Amino acid sequence: MTRSACDPLYRRHRFLAEVIAHAVWLYFRFPLSLRMVEDILAARGIIVSHQTVRLWAEKFGRQFANDIRRRSAGRLGGKWYLDEVVITIGGKKHWLWRAVDQRGFVLDVLVQNHRDARAAKRLMRKLLKGQGSAPRVMITDKLRSYGAAKREIMPGVEHRSHKGLNNRAENSHQPIRRRARIMKRPKSPRQLQRFVSIHDPIANLFQIPRHDMLSHHYRQLRGAAMKMWSEIAHLQVV
């Protein structure tokens, strides 16, 4: 059982910290809509509206994601896989640029209106600022914008450009594509950027590879991730 009654993070909120943190965890950990989270909580006797869940997800989810991002800064891999995927919002094409490391952890993500060298430069600058150092090697598809941006932003970094080598980054788009279907497409680029900037750090925390791993080892890692989540959500185990 947990208690966190006096934590300043949850001040002036009627519901317990455990309820709020659990709702945020459900929404970002699984491909659930706001109304699905509302129904899950209602089944446990907790009556909240989906609008309340949305406000919790935006306020507390951002806080939790920023904490996870600070803890992981400089600890992710030195091999960067970059990719971009088109997402239609309001009948217009937008591009979701994403970078992951060799273990599949998301380094950063950026929603942009263009698919050119200027957009690639923005992503690389954001990556360097967030990670604190340049990668050992950068792997992309054959989009020429990556090469042009790398020559200006990271001229000394090795660049491998090949469609087959970039599958890790392409696969990292799948969770967001599933969520986009559940959300019935994002309403605006700003909404999409806000969601992915919270979703991806939380997904990193619970990303545990299941292949080639004994079940008890997997349970240990999952338990460690849940313990870390309790610390980030300011829930004290007693």
Side-chain angles (χ1 to χ4, degrees), residues 13-139:
H13 284 270
R14 179 166 60 93
F15 286 89
L16 294 175
E18 290 81 1
V19 173
I20 296 174
H22 187 62
V24 174
W25 179 74
L26 285 172
Y27 183 61
F28 289 109
R29 178 67 182 91
F30 305 102
L32 301 173
S33 68
L34 295 169
R35 286 179 172 81
M36 290 176 183
V37 176
E38 176 186 353
D39 290 343
I40 292 173
L41 295 177
R44 302 182 64 177
I46 303 168
I47 307 303
V48 296
S49 68
H50 68 276
Q51 292 292 351
T52 299
V53 175
R54 179 180 64 81
L55 294 175
W56 288 350
E58 292 179 0
K59 176 182 178 179
F60 295 99
R62 184 181 301 110
Q63 177 84 16
F64 301 160
N66 289 340
D67 195 350
I68 296 171
R69 202 175 283 113
R70 283 192 297 269
R71 292 169 183 248
S72 62
R75 298 184 178 182
L76 299 178
K79 183 183 288 187
W80 293 1
Y81 294 76
L82 278 62
D83 191 55
E84 76 292 335
V85 65
V86 64
I87 294 184
T88 303
I89 304 175
K92 297 182 179 179
K93 286 185 177 181
H94 295 77
W95 298 92
L96 181 63
W97 296 73
R98 183 186 300 274
V100 301
D101 70 2
Q102 64 269 28
R103 294 172 294 177
F105 291 103
V106 178
L107 301 171
D108 217 327
V109 62
L110 189 61
V111 180
Q112 303 192 79
N113 297 329
H114 301 285
R115 186 179 180 238
D116 54 16
R118 184 175 64 176
K121 290 177 188 177
R122 283 191 63 196
L123 176 65
M124 292 181 190
R125 290 193 183 101
K126 195 167 187 284
L127 284 166
L128 289 173
K129 181 178 179 181
Q131 300 305 313
S133 61
R136 175 173 51 85
V137 60
M138 185 178 73
I139 300 174

Side-chain angles (χ1 to χ4, degrees), residues 83 100 141 163 166-174 177:
D83 191 55
V100 301
D141 57 19
K163 184 175 179 60
N166 203 37
N167 290 340
R168 186 178 296 277
E170 292 180 355
N171 293 338
S172 70
H173 294 300
Q174 293 179 3
R177 285 173 171 170

